Amino acid sequence: MQATVGSLTEMAQKNIQQAAAMDYDTRIKNYQLLLARKTEQEDKSYSSYIEQYLSLYTVDGLKESLTIQFYQQASAIVTTNSHDYLRKAKLFRQCYEYFNYTNIHKRAEDNQKLCYKTAAQKFYVDV
């Protein structure tokens, strides 16, 4: 058990560290793996055997790291159409599933409104 948890933790850490600057999906996926391991194994009877890995991260710290990745990914999207605004809104909403970071609710709402606005503008131009 200790070897498995250790290798998963090390693999996730390595993937996070080696991910390219704009490779948010890889970092998000690996932070989610770490969070899942932490929350699933933290209160189990065998947790003392894997304490060194469980103590590397806190649940709140992992949630904040995930939020930051979603936030940065959303902020990096260059918006040119309603689909881009919708992607940003969805990513900002994913942020606040984990952690209340900066002004995420407002950013999600603003991007959702811009999605509707640009879709309506395109519709009326095409008609």
Side-chain angles (χ1 to χ4, degrees), residues 51-93:
E51 185 62 38
Q52 72 186 60
Y53 301 106
L54 292 175
S55 65
L56 291 174
Y57 302 98
T58 65
V59 170
D60 286 341
L62 288 167
K63 287 180 176 182
E64 184 174 10
S65 294
L66 272 165
T67 299
I68 290 168
Q69 293 305 309
F70 281 119
Y71 189 91
Q72 289 175 345
Q73 184 178 22
S75 297
I77 295 173
V78 177
T79 51
T80 58
N81 56 44
S82 63
H83 178 70
D84 294 336
Y85 286 113
L86 181 59
R87 282 181 43 224
K88 284 181 89 151
K90 286 180 179 181
L91 287 167
F92 283 129
R93 275 192 214 99

XYZ file of all heavy atoms in Angstrom, residues 51-93:
356
model
N 1.389 7.858 6.200
C 1.375 9.212 6.770
C 2.335 10.150 6.060
O 2.028 11.317 5.843
C 1.705 9.154 8.267
C 1.602 10.498 8.956
C 0.200 11.098 8.904
O -0.771 10.345 9.019
O 0.092 12.322 8.738
N 3.503 9.664 5.666
C 4.467 10.555 5.020
C 3.922 11.140 3.727
O 4.234 12.260 3.366
C 5.794 9.848 4.771
C 5.766 8.805 3.659
C 7.068 8.043 3.553
O 7.478 7.395 4.501
N 7.698 8.148 2.419
N 3.063 10.410 3.032
C 2.478 10.920 1.793
C 1.245 11.773 2.069
O 1.003 12.760 1.382
C 2.148 9.766 0.847
C 3.386 8.976 0.516
C 3.605 7.721 1.056
C 4.368 9.513 -0.304
C 4.757 7.009 0.783
C 5.526 8.814 -0.580
C 5.714 7.561 -0.038
O 6.861 6.877 -0.302
N 0.473 11.371 3.064
C -0.715 12.147 3.410
C -0.347 13.516 3.976
O -1.079 14.482 3.817
C -1.577 11.387 4.419
C -2.260 10.124 3.908
C -2.986 9.418 5.046
C -3.208 10.434 2.778
N 0.789 13.597 4.625
C 1.184 14.863 5.254
C 1.815 15.852 4.276
O 2.062 16.998 4.632
C 2.145 14.592 6.410
O 3.353 14.042 5.917
N 2.062 15.432 3.048
C 2.662 16.331 2.064
C 1.723 17.475 1.676
O 2.167 18.559 1.323
C 3.058 15.563 0.797
C 4.212 14.580 0.937
C 4.385 13.796 -0.357
C 5.495 15.298 1.317
N 0.425 17.213 1.710
C -0.563 18.183 1.256
C -1.716 18.257 2.247
O -2.026 17.287 2.917
C -1.143 17.783 -0.110
C -0.112 17.643 -1.190
C 0.403 16.403 -1.531
C 0.353 18.761 -1.872
C 1.361 16.277 -2.528
C 1.301 18.646 -2.867
C 1.804 17.398 -3.197
O 2.747 17.279 -4.173
N -2.358 19.401 2.265
C -3.613 19.519 3.000
C -4.738 19.513 1.969
O -4.523 19.871 0.805
C -3.682 20.826 3.812
O -3.682 21.933 2.893
C -2.523 20.942 4.793
N -5.920 19.140 2.398
C -7.070 19.143 1.489
C -7.320 20.562 0.989
O -7.507 20.788 -0.212
C -8.322 18.562 2.190
C -9.571 18.785 1.345
C -8.131 17.077 2.480
N -7.298 21.541 1.898
C -7.516 22.932 1.496
C -6.429 23.418 0.539
O -6.712 24.147 -0.415
C -7.584 23.845 2.716
C -8.886 23.690 3.488
O -9.866 23.171 2.904
O -8.919 24.087 4.660
N -5.192 23.017 0.787
C -4.092 23.418 -0.092
C -4.257 22.855 -1.492
O -4.023 23.543 -2.492
N -4.678 21.600 -1.595
C -4.905 20.987 -2.903
C -6.089 21.645 -3.615
O -6.034 21.892 -4.822
C -5.141 19.484 -2.753
C -3.901 18.669 -2.398
C -4.286 17.264 -1.968
C -2.928 18.633 -3.563
N -7.137 21.941 -2.863
C -8.294 22.616 -3.468
C -7.906 24.006 -3.963
O -8.335 24.428 -5.044
C -9.440 22.710 -2.463
C -10.116 21.387 -2.207
C -11.249 21.530 -1.212
C -11.985 20.221 -1.018
N -13.119 20.366 -0.090
N -7.095 24.702 -3.210
C -6.649 26.028 -3.645
C -5.772 25.916 -4.889
O -5.903 26.711 -5.824
C -5.900 26.737 -2.524
C -5.506 28.153 -2.890
C -4.879 28.918 -1.738
O -4.571 28.317 -0.693
O -4.700 30.132 -1.902
N -4.895 24.927 -4.938
C -4.045 24.723 -6.120
C -4.887 24.414 -7.344
O -4.616 24.927 -8.440
C -3.053 23.581 -5.874
O -2.145 23.927 -4.865
N -5.916 23.589 -7.181
C -6.824 23.297 -8.291
C -7.536 24.558 -8.763
O -7.646 24.817 -9.960
C -7.866 22.260 -7.863
C -7.461 20.811 -8.040
C -8.385 19.899 -7.271
C -7.457 20.455 -9.507
N -8.004 25.337 -7.822
C -8.705 26.573 -8.151
C -7.807 27.512 -8.940
O -8.227 28.092 -9.941
C -9.192 27.262 -6.862
O -10.099 26.375 -6.212
C -9.885 28.573 -7.155
N -6.574 27.642 -8.502
C -5.629 28.515 -9.191
C -5.408 28.038 -10.622
O -5.360 28.852 -11.554
C -4.308 28.612 -8.409
C -4.536 29.397 -7.112
C -3.202 29.246 -9.247
C -3.391 29.311 -6.119
N -5.308 26.728 -10.830
C -5.112 26.200 -12.181
C -6.316 26.487 -13.069
O -6.164 26.919 -14.217
C -4.825 24.691 -12.135
C -3.507 24.342 -11.494
C -2.330 25.039 -12.127
O -2.151 25.008 -13.341
N -1.528 25.696 -11.313
N -7.531 26.249 -12.543
C -8.734 26.565 -13.322
C -8.805 28.065 -13.627
O -9.146 28.469 -14.741
C -10.005 26.136 -12.576
C -10.307 24.674 -12.658
C -10.366 23.899 -11.512
C -10.558 24.063 -13.878
C -10.662 22.547 -11.578
C -10.848 22.711 -13.956
C -10.903 21.949 -12.805
N -8.481 28.874 -12.638
C -8.524 30.336 -12.792
C -7.540 30.788 -13.870
O -7.879 31.572 -14.752
C -8.201 30.989 -11.445
C -8.421 32.476 -11.414
C -9.644 33.000 -11.028
C -7.406 33.372 -11.745
C -9.867 34.370 -10.978
C -7.619 34.736 -11.693
C -8.840 35.229 -11.321
O -9.051 36.580 -11.280
N -6.316 30.272 -13.808
C -5.307 30.652 -14.795
C -5.683 30.155 -16.181
O -5.475 30.851 -17.178
C -3.936 30.122 -14.382
C -3.355 30.834 -13.195
C -2.044 30.227 -12.711
O -1.667 29.120 -13.067
N -1.348 30.976 -11.872
N -6.243 28.950 -16.260
C -6.654 28.416 -17.559
C -7.757 29.288 -18.160
O -7.713 29.632 -19.341
C -7.132 26.979 -17.410
C -7.497 26.325 -18.729
C -7.915 24.881 -18.566
O -8.321 24.442 -17.482
N -7.820 24.120 -19.644
N -8.726 29.656 -17.352
C -9.817 30.511 -17.844
C -9.289 31.879 -18.261
O -9.672 32.410 -19.307
C -10.893 30.667 -16.771
N -8.401 32.430 -17.463
C -7.859 33.756 -17.767
C -7.009 33.761 -19.032
O -6.875 34.792 -19.688
C -7.016 34.252 -16.587
O -7.833 34.394 -15.445
N -6.446 32.616 -19.385
C -5.585 32.533 -20.566
C -6.364 32.414 -21.878
O -5.796 32.589 -22.956
C -4.638 31.342 -20.432
N -7.653 32.152 -21.795
C -8.453 31.995 -23.019
C -8.654 33.348 -23.673
O -9.141 34.293 -23.052
C -9.822 31.347 -22.700
C -9.621 29.927 -22.201
C -10.728 31.377 -23.932
C -10.898 29.269 -21.703
N -8.283 33.430 -24.931
C -8.516 34.638 -25.722
C -9.913 34.493 -26.319
O -10.193 33.537 -27.033
C -7.459 34.790 -26.842
C -7.754 35.995 -27.705
C -6.067 34.855 -26.242
N -10.782 35.427 -25.995
C -12.177 35.312 -26.416
C -12.406 35.974 -27.766
O -12.071 37.129 -27.972
C -13.111 35.947 -25.366
O -12.651 37.257 -25.081
C -13.131 35.136 -24.098
N -12.971 35.185 -28.667
C -13.317 35.702 -29.988
C -14.770 35.422 -30.354
O -15.275 35.970 -31.322
C -12.403 35.086 -31.078
O -12.536 33.665 -31.029
C -10.948 35.482 -30.869
N -15.412 34.535 -29.573
C -16.802 34.194 -29.873
C -17.515 33.724 -28.598
O -16.904 33.633 -27.535
C -16.863 33.113 -30.972
C -16.078 31.869 -30.583
O -16.167 31.390 -29.455
N -15.297 31.347 -31.520
N -18.789 33.429 -28.736
C -19.582 33.044 -27.564
C -19.094 31.743 -26.943
O -19.156 31.562 -25.722
C -21.062 32.942 -27.929
O -21.270 31.940 -28.888
N -18.587 30.839 -27.760
C -18.069 29.569 -27.243
C -16.893 29.809 -26.289
O -16.792 29.145 -25.249
C -17.647 28.657 -28.399
C -17.060 27.360 -27.953
N -17.813 26.368 -27.361
C -15.791 26.903 -27.992
C -17.026 25.351 -27.055
N -15.796 25.645 -27.421
N -16.022 30.756 -26.627
C -14.886 31.078 -25.754
C -15.355 31.634 -24.414
O -14.828 31.273 -23.364
C -13.956 32.094 -26.431
C -13.274 31.536 -27.671
O -13.127 30.297 -27.774
O -12.898 32.348 -28.531
N -16.359 32.506 -24.456
C -16.901 33.054 -23.206
C -17.547 31.957 -22.364
O -17.428 31.946 -21.141
C -17.917 34.166 -23.480
C -17.285 35.452 -23.937
C -17.474 35.930 -25.227
C -16.490 36.193 -23.069
C -16.897 37.117 -25.644
C -15.909 37.386 -23.477
C -16.106 37.839 -24.768
O -15.521 39.013 -25.174
N -18.211 31.024 -23.016
C -18.834 29.923 -22.302
C -17.776 29.035 -21.642
O -17.930 28.622 -20.488
C -19.710 29.096 -23.247
C -20.451 27.914 -22.633
C -21.382 28.389 -21.519
C -21.226 27.160 -23.700
N -16.684 28.738 -22.364
C -15.588 27.951 -21.785
C -15.022 28.643 -20.548
O -14.767 28.001 -19.524
C -14.468 27.747 -22.819
C -14.771 26.685 -23.837
C -13.671 26.452 -24.863
N -12.345 26.426 -24.294
C -11.283 27.056 -24.831
N -11.411 27.751 -25.940
N -10.099 26.977 -24.267
N -14.823 29.962 -20.660
C -14.309 30.712 -19.509
C -15.276 30.649 -18.332
O -14.869 30.415 -17.189
C -14.064 32.180 -19.889
C -12.828 32.400 -20.708
C -12.624 33.863 -21.018
C -11.817 34.485 -19.925
N -10.995 35.609 -20.338
N -16.557 30.836 -18.603
C -17.558 30.794 -17.535
C -17.556 29.433 -16.843
O -17.590 29.355 -15.611
C -18.948 31.101 -18.097
N -17.478 28.366 -17.620
C -17.463 27.015 -17.041
C -16.218 26.794 -16.182
O -16.305 26.206 -15.105
C -17.527 25.958 -18.145
C -18.895 25.826 -18.767
C -18.899 24.767 -19.846
C -20.271 24.612 -20.456
N -20.294 23.575 -21.502
N -15.066 27.252 -16.659
C -13.836 27.089 -15.878
C -13.894 27.890 -14.588
O -13.479 27.403 -13.520
C -12.617 27.486 -16.705
C -12.234 26.488 -17.801
C -11.226 27.105 -18.767
C -11.685 25.213 -17.193
N -14.417 29.113 -14.646
C -14.547 29.909 -13.424
C -15.519 29.233 -12.446
O -15.298 29.253 -11.239
C -14.989 31.338 -13.727
C -13.879 32.208 -14.261
C -14.046 32.939 -15.422
C -12.671 32.307 -13.595
C -13.035 33.749 -15.910
C -11.645 33.112 -14.072
C -11.827 33.828 -15.227
N -16.588 28.613 -12.968
C -17.513 27.898 -12.087
C -16.827 26.700 -11.431
O -17.088 26.391 -10.274
C -18.741 27.435 -12.863
C -19.781 28.498 -12.966
C -21.105 27.943 -13.487
N -21.704 28.973 -14.286
C -21.670 29.051 -15.614
N -21.115 28.119 -16.321
N -22.224 30.055 -16.239
